[in-house]
Amino acid sequence: MARLSPPATTRLSHPKASGSQRSGRNRRLARPSLLVGVVAVISSACIVSDPAEYGVAKQTPPFLNATKALPSVLKTHPVKLGETIHFNVPLRSEDAGEELLAQVFVDRGVPQKENPRGFREIAPGRLDDGERPIDIPVDVVVADPGCHSLTMVVTHKSNLDEKNQPKKDDDTAVLTWWVNVDDDEGKTLMGECPSSGGTN
């Protein structure tokens, strides 16, 4: 009896051969895909950066807005001896966490007459906060009637000496008003005053 030969098969049609070929092709395709995935992970890791570090805010000198000051610095004000004047001035500054001190003096800089009459401690602020009001009530007390200056001085506390006077002008804001005290008798005291006040 003649022996039957197994049916001829080709490499491509044989199940094992076909699977082997597909497997080999898949392995060849997997390697580049894996490489792309690794590069993507590395690339994304490089893109992620640490949060930006911001330095400490730089302190600026105080700035007083004279145009919004109350009472106005643009004219002389008649007052009574002992009368209370409420000063309100907008302030802007970058304080870097340091407090300021605002003081009002009668006749600042005049020997034997300079007299501190009011003060206000001011919490630290930032330029982004905008303008902050300084409100200081001052009782006008002078030794003699007539024309006197009332001067507000604002500076950071680290700039004050042992007498609470500013050590450096570049960290100091100054605003001056003029008042005519007790001109009830019609004397020509008003003529002794400057026509306007303002900043020094």
Side-chain angles (χ1 to χ4, degrees):
M1 173 182 273
R3 298 178 59 185
L4 296 176
S5 299
T9 60
T10 64
R11 187 175 182 182
L12 292 177
S13 62
H14 195 281
K16 291 185 178 180
S18 178
S20 175
Q21 186 178 24
R22 285 198 299 270
S23 175
R25 184 166 59 250
N26 290 343
R27 282 196 299 270
R28 288 194 296 273
L29 291 174
R31 289 174 184 172
S33 300
L34 180 61
L35 181 60
V36 171
V38 171
V39 171
V41 171
I42 295 175
S43 299
S44 64
C46 294
I47 291 173
V48 177
S49 60
D50 293 333
E53 294 183 2
Y54 298 95
V56 177
K58 185 177 180 180
Q59 193 175 86
T60 67
F63 171 77
L64 299 177
N65 189 342
T67 61
K68 295 182 179 179
L70 295 175
S72 172
V73 298
L74 300 179
K75 61 181 181 179
T76 302
H77 300 276
V79 298
K80 302 292 184 182
L81 184 65
E83 181 178 340
T84 300
I85 302 178
H86 289 269
F87 292 94
N88 190 291
V89 184
L91 160 75
R92 285 193 71 187
S93 61
E94 177 62 61
D95 304 319
E98 183 179 357
E99 288 187 338
L100 301 100
L101 183 67
Q103 303 176 87
V104 177
F105 298 87
V106 173
D107 296 327
R108 182 174 186 259
V110 180
Q112 309 302 321
K113 288 189 175 183
E114 180 174 312
N115 182 17
R117 296 303 307 163
F119 71 94
R120 180 79 69 200
E121 293 181 335
I122 305 169
R126 302 177 58 189
L127 285 174
D128 292 343
D129 297 337
E131 293 182 338
R132 298 169 282 157
I134 303 176
D135 187 5
I136 305 179
V138 174
D139 295 331
V140 181
V141 177
V142 295
D144 54 322
C147 186
H148 297 271
S149 65
L150 296 174
T151 302
M152 181 181 291
V153 180
V154 183
T155 189
H156 289 99
K157 286 190 172 182
S158 62
N159 190 41
L160 295 169
D161 61 18
E162 64 279 359
K163 296 182 180 180
N164 280 336
Q165 295 287 351
K167 294 181 288 187
K168 297 184 298 182
D169 291 339
D170 58 2
D171 188 34
T172 305
V174 179
L175 196 60
T176 298
W177 294 259
W178 292 95
V179 294
N180 188 39
V181 183
D182 280 353
D183 191 20
D184 291 336
E185 298 181 7
K187 297 180 181 179
T188 58
L189 299 177
M190 188 69 78
E192 301 172 11
C193 292
S195 59
S196 64
T199 56
N200 291 345

